[in-house]
Amino acid sequence: MLFALICKDKPGKLQLRVDTRPAHAAFLEGLISEGKLAFAGPFLDADGKPDGSLVMIEAVDMTAAQALAASDPYAKAGLFESVEIRPWNWVFQKPAGV
């Protein structure tokens, strides 16, 4: 099942995001190799700077999705003000094999 991780950064934490990005990118690459990442990218503020993340993952249930979200280096670094995890159904423009 797909789950959307809707993450909002804490205000004023852009440098923490920048500093943690290499570990976060490696984490996402690991999810890709495990077949657990559908897509991901940052939300942008009015100035075009990242201020959150949307990460779409594959997990067996909410508990597994929560565990995966907690293991993200951004989450471990304390970047996020909030993380909402919602089950999601990909209906339109779904790539073949997903």
Side-chain angles (χ1 to χ4, degrees):
M1 171 178 267
L2 288 171
F3 289 87
L5 310 181
I6 305 163
C7 310
K8 182 179 178 183
D9 291 1
K10 292 176 182 172
K13 294 296 183 180
L14 180 58
Q15 190 59 53
L16 178 59
R17 174 178 275 274
V18 170
D19 293 345
T20 312
R21 189 174 191 293
H24 172 72
F27 170 75
L28 294 180
E29 290 292 337
L31 294 182
I32 291 169
S33 69
E34 295 170 10
K36 294 181 180 178
L37 181 68
F39 58 85
F43 290 111
L44 303 175
D45 66 15
D47 296 322
K49 300 216 181 326
D51 66 352
S53 299
L54 173 61
V55 181
M56 194 67 62
I57 59 165
E58 180 74 34
V60 295
D61 57 23
M62 180 62 78
T63 301
Q66 289 168 334
L68 199 148
S71 65
D72 184 326
Y74 279 166
K76 288 181 174 183
L79 174 64
F80 299 134
E81 178 177 88
S82 64
V83 176
E84 182 180 5
I85 303 173
R86 304 215 31 209
W88 191 71
N89 184 25
W90 200 333
V91 177
F92 295 99
Q93 294 290 92
K94 182 177 180 179
V98 175

